[in-house]
Amino acid sequence: MAGHEFPEPADRKRPVADPTAADPLAGREEPRHPCDPAFKHGVVVGFDGSVSSERALAYAIGMAHRSRSGLIIVHVANRLPTTVWAGCEPPVFVDVPDHRTEVLGLELACADYLAEVPWILVERGGDICHELEEVGKEYEADAIVVGSTHGIVGRLFGSVAGRLAKRAQRPVVVIP
C-alpha cells in the first residue's frame, strides 16, 4: 500500500463561532492535519534521500514490519529566514519551493523494499525536530527513527537526532 497525505484545500469551509456564545472563539476548532487511522501507532521516519536517512528508512521498515504497523515517512521541506535574502530585520521564515518531496515520493513508490509494509509520505515545512515530533503526536507513533548527522553542520547547530532525543515525547531511534 502506498500513498501520500495531501493538505486540505484552502477554500474548505471552517466552523463558524456561535454568535450567541459568550466566548466568540468557543465554536472554533483547532485546525488539524488529516490523519489516516490505519497508520495510528505506526513508525515515523525522517527521510530526505541522504545516505543516513536511507539507513534510517531501512531500519524503520524492519521495525514496522516486525510490529505489523504502518510506516509514516516524513520529508521536511526547507525554510529559510528572509534575512538571508534581503538582509533585513526581524527574521521571518519563508517556505522555499521544494519539489524534492515529489521526487522522493516517486522514488519510494517504485521501491521494491517498501512492498512489505503499508506506508505514506507526509510533507511538512519548518524545523525538522518539531515537525517529526508533531507528526509522531498526530499519528500516536510508537517510535521516531532518524539517521545521525555527520559533518560540520551537525557540530555547529546540533544534530537533528540529538535535539529530537532531548525533546521528544516518544522513543527516538538514531541510526548511525
Side-chain angles (χ1 to χ4, degrees):
M1 169 190 255
H4 299 309
E5 180 177 297
F6 295 102
E8 292 190 25
D11 62 344
R12 186 172 194 142
K13 293 183 181 180
R14 305 231 184 258
V16 180
D18 181 8
T20 60
D23 182 10
L25 298 178
R28 272 180 88 184
E29 294 180 16
E30 287 290 317
R32 189 158 178 199
H33 297 281
C35 177
D36 187 342
F39 291 93
K40 288 278 189 190
H41 302 289
V43 177
V44 171
V45 60
F47 185 73
D48 63 1
S50 67
V51 173
S52 64
S53 72
E54 287 176 357
R55 284 191 213 117
L57 178 62
Y59 186 86
I61 290 168
M63 192 174 179
H65 183 68
R66 286 186 298 276
S67 64
R68 292 184 173 90
S69 62
L71 184 65
I72 301 107
I73 303 170
V74 182
H75 178 250
V76 180
N78 296 326
R79 294 188 84 194
L80 294 176
T82 56
T83 55
V84 170
W85 294 346
C88 60
E89 296 288 333
V92 177
F93 289 92
V94 295
D95 290 327
V96 175
D98 189 356
H99 301 290
R100 183 75 181 134
T101 304
E102 293 174 22
V103 173
L104 289 174
L106 291 172
E107 289 174 4
L108 292 170
C110 296
D112 292 335
Y113 52 85
L114 280 168
E116 305 231 353
V117 294
W119 65 275
I120 57 171
L121 177 61
V122 178
E123 179 184 18
R124 295 292 172 90
D127 177 61
I128 297 169
C129 294
H130 175 75
E131 295 303 325
L132 287 173
E133 177 60 23
E134 283 299 309
V135 171
K137 188 184 307 178
E138 288 171 22
Y139 286 92
E140 300 173 22
D142 289 342
I144 300 173
V145 181
V146 291
S148 61
T149 307
H150 301 287
I152 191 143
V153 174
R155 289 188 194 124
L156 290 176
F157 300 109
S159 71
V160 170
R163 291 185 297 141
L164 185 61
K166 289 179 186 175
R167 68 187 273 184
Q169 300 296 314
R170 61 204 76 258
V172 175
V173 180
V174 181
I175 305 302

